[in-house]
């Protein structure tokens, strides 16, 4: 009995005793070394923001509290970015990010610098969710890997970005668990440039709906058949928008600093090339803006790119100017000779037809010539022997041409 009483006293030591102070100091040291959920969040947010975005971000406040499923809709604010988080075994959670934090992340991604908030408000878009999702997924994955407590690990492990919620009402309809844990983080961006909150609302592991192990007849349930259309549309495709390309020496690249500007190639902006991660060009687009955000509108290919017009009957459908043929001087001479030959052949053919149609005598039949007695008698011509003698003429071959 004495030994049992002593053991009970030692297990119930008070801080004012020597053993109590030693036990309390040991628990504090153990708690300081343990990786709690709040500590894991502080370390992971700073590490992931620096690695993914080169952004100094620190968690200056972390609160973890339990929330009943009935009170979750009261926490959802339509003014912030609302996101649906997909979890293991089909469970669903939620995430909320202040517009101040969203704006800072977008500035860091586009301009490389976070500027102070000016108080301008705008509706959150799917583009905002796409920019914030990689940071959120990376933080959750890193936190789940360094937690010491198995309950905390089961709470957060396996969650990732699912979709942007249009409103708090639609997001609340998807949250069907009875108990949740809310993790509210107050973050500082770029050493005081901006401050805002990031909140995760995740269902407790014991409150998640377990899948049915078997059907009523005792057979294992059949997995739903995969829809090809849903599978294809759910694939992740990463595209790059290339405004222009330029060649720089290595010394110039090594000397680049934050804030350096590059001159764009004349005539390129606002046209961009849409390329894959491997550099293959798959289309072109025009740079613009949608809801105050930078956006690219893809240009559709013309119809003749996929359905070429080759027939003569397609000529009215081709939107091209009429171009006259350029004829050289040599070509004009050849065409003139060809025309002359054609005209000569036509003239000869017409003459032949005219001669055939005329009533001409047959040359093979002798033609009688009338005897005309009125002609003079050739015997009355003078005698050529009376001409003078031409022997006295000088010899032309012996004369010198002077």
């Amino acid at each position: 009995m004495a030994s049992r009483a002593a053991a009970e006293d030692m297990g119930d030591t008070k801080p004012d005793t020597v053993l109590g102070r030693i036990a309390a100091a040991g628990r504090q040291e153990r708690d300081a070394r343990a990786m709690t959920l709040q500590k894991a969040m502080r370390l992971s947010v700073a590490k992931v923001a620096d690695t993914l975005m080169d952004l100094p971000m620190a968690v200056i406040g972390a609160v973890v509290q339990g929330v009943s499923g009935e009170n979750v809709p009261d926490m959802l604010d339509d003014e912030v970015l609302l996101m649906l988080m997909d979890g293991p075994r089909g469970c669903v959670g939620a995430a909320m990010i202040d517009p101040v934090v969203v704006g800072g992340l977008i500035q860091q991604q586009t301009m490389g610098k976070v500027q102070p908030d000016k108080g301008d408000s705008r509706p959150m878009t799917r583009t905002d969710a796409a920019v914030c999702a990689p940071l959120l997924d990376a933080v959750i994955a890193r936190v789940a890997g360094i937690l010491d407590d198995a309950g905390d690990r089961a709470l957060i492990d396996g969650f990732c970005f699912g979709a942007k919620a249009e409103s708090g009402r639609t997001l609340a309809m998807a949250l069907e668990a009875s108990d949740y844990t809310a993790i509210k983080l107050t973050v500082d961006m770029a050493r005081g440039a901006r401050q805002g909150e990031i909140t995760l609302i995740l269902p407790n592991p014991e409150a998640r709906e377990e899948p049915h192990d078997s059907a009523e007849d005792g057979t294992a349930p059949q997995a739903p058949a995969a829809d090809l259309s849903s599978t294809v549309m759910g694939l992740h495709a990463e595209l790059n928008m290339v405004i222009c390309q330029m060649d720089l020496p290595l010394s110039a690249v090594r000397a680049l600093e934050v804030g350096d500007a590059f001159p764009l190639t004349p005539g390129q902006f606002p046209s961009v090339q849409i390329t894959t991660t491997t550099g293959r060009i798959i289309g072109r687009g025009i740079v613009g803006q949608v809801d105050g955000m930078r956006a690219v509108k893809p240009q559709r290919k013309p119809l003749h790119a996929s359905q070429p017009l080759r027939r003569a009957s397609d000529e009215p459908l081709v939107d091209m100017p009429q171009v006259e043929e350029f004829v050289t001087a040599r070509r004009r001479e050849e065409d003139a000779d060809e025309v002359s030959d054609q005209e000569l052949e036509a003239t000869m053919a017409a003459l032949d037809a005219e001669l055939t149609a005329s009533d001409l005598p047959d040359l093979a039949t002798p033609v009688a010539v009338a005897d005309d007695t009125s002609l003079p008698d050739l015997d009355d011509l003078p005698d050529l022997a009376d001409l003078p003698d031409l022997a006295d003429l000088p010899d032309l071959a012996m004369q010198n041409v002077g």
Side-chain angles (χ1 to χ4, degrees):
M1 295 293 296
S3 61
R4 180 178 179 182
E8 291 177 354
D9 292 340
M10 292 179 61
D12 190 21
T13 56
K14 297 181 179 180
D16 55 353
T17 64
V18 176
L19 293 179
R21 288 195 295 270
I22 294 176
R27 285 194 299 267
Q28 292 176 359
E29 183 179 358
R30 182 191 61 187
D31 293 341
R33 292 196 304 265
M35 185 61 68
T36 62
L37 185 57
Q38 294 92 329
K39 185 177 181 180
M41 281 291 181
R42 291 190 180 94
L43 296 177
S44 298
V45 168
K47 181 65 175 180
V48 171
D50 181 69
T51 303
L52 287 183
M53 301 182 178
D54 194 20
L55 171 64
M57 181 181 289
V59 176
I60 59 178
V63 178
V64 179
Q65 62 181 8
V67 181
S68 173
E70 298 178 355
N71 298 328
V72 168
D74 298 334
M75 301 179 60
L76 305 178
D77 186 3
D78 291 338
E79 300 298 327
V80 303
L81 177 61
L82 300 174
M83 295 187 293
L84 186 71
M85 305 297 292
D86 292 334
R89 300 191 304 273
C91 61
V92 176
M96 299 187 300
I97 303 180
D98 276 353
V100 177
V101 178
V102 175
L105 295 178
I106 293 176
Q107 289 179 356
Q108 182 67 22
Q109 290 284 71
T110 56
M111 299 184 298
K113 182 179 181 181
V114 178
Q115 299 178 351
D117 181 34
K118 298 180 180 179
D120 300 334
S121 61
R122 60 174 180 82
M124 296 289 98
T125 65
R126 295 181 181 179
T127 304
D128 300 327
V131 172
C132 299
L135 175 67
L136 202 59
D137 291 347
V139 168
I140 292 176
R142 191 178 190 279
V143 168
I146 62 177
L147 286 172
D148 289 337
D149 187 74
D152 293 340
R153 190 182 307 110
L155 171 68
I156 199 171
D157 189 18
F159 280 90
C160 63
F161 170 73
K164 177 189 176 298
E166 298 299 331
S167 64
R169 183 181 63 85
T170 58
L171 181 57
M173 294 174 61
L175 303 176
E176 300 178 349
S178 58
D179 295 309
Y180 289 85
T181 297
I183 306 171
K184 182 179 295 185
L185 307 176
T186 302
V187 298
D188 176 89
M189 306 178 68
R191 300 179 180 88
R194 294 192 177 207
Q195 291 183 357
E197 292 184 350
I198 300 176
T199 304
L200 296 176
I201 303 176
L202 305 177
N204 293 331
E206 59 274 8
R208 299 172 187 175
E209 183 179 357
E210 294 293 337
H212 299 287
D213 295 334
S214 61
E216 296 180 356
D217 55 357
T219 60
Q222 298 292 331
D227 185 9
L228 179 60
S229 177
S230 301
T231 302
V232 173
M233 296 305 295
L235 295 177
H236 178 72
E238 182 176 352
L239 300 177
N240 297 325
M241 309 300 164
V242 181
I243 296 179
C244 68
Q245 296 180 353
M246 59 182 63
D247 296 330
L248 295 175
L250 182 59
S251 58
V253 175
R254 296 182 61 182
L256 292 177
E257 297 179 354
V258 177
D260 290 347
F262 294 95
L264 296 179
T265 305
Q268 293 292 327
F269 191 82
S271 299
V272 297
Q273 294 179 348
I274 304 176
T275 65
T276 61
T277 54
T278 59
R280 178 172 174 265
I281 300 176
I282 61 175
R284 296 183 179 275
I286 300 297
V287 178
Q289 61 176 350
V290 176
D291 296 333
M293 299 296 300
R294 292 178 177 85
V296 174
K297 180 180 179 181
Q299 291 180 327
R300 297 182 58 186
K301 292 184 178 180
L303 183 61
H304 61 77
S306 57
Q307 301 179 6
L309 304 176
R310 300 187 179 94
R311 297 182 295 272
S313 58
D314 296 332
E315 184 176 357
L317 302 177
V318 181
D319 186 15
M320 296 183 65
Q322 296 292 336
V323 180
E324 297 182 357
E325 181 182 4
F326 179 76
V327 181
T328 61
R330 181 177 180 182
R331 176 66 180 277
R332 286 195 296 268
E333 294 177 358
E334 294 176 354
D335 293 344
D337 294 340
E338 183 178 356
V339 172
S340 299
D341 295 339
Q342 294 176 356
E343 292 178 352
L344 179 60
E345 293 178 359
T347 303
M348 295 298 296
L351 181 59
D352 183 49
E354 184 178 355
L355 292 175
T356 303
S358 303
D359 188 12
L360 297 176
D362 189 1
L363 298 180
T365 305
V367 179
V369 180
D371 187 10
D372 192 357
T373 57
S374 61
L375 294 176
D377 190 3
L378 295 179
D379 295 336
D380 295 337
L381 293 175
D383 189 4
L384 296 178
D386 297 337
L387 293 175
D389 190 4
L390 299 179
D392 296 335
L393 291 175
D395 189 359
L396 297 178
M398 300 299 296
Q399 299 295 326
N400 295 326
V401 180

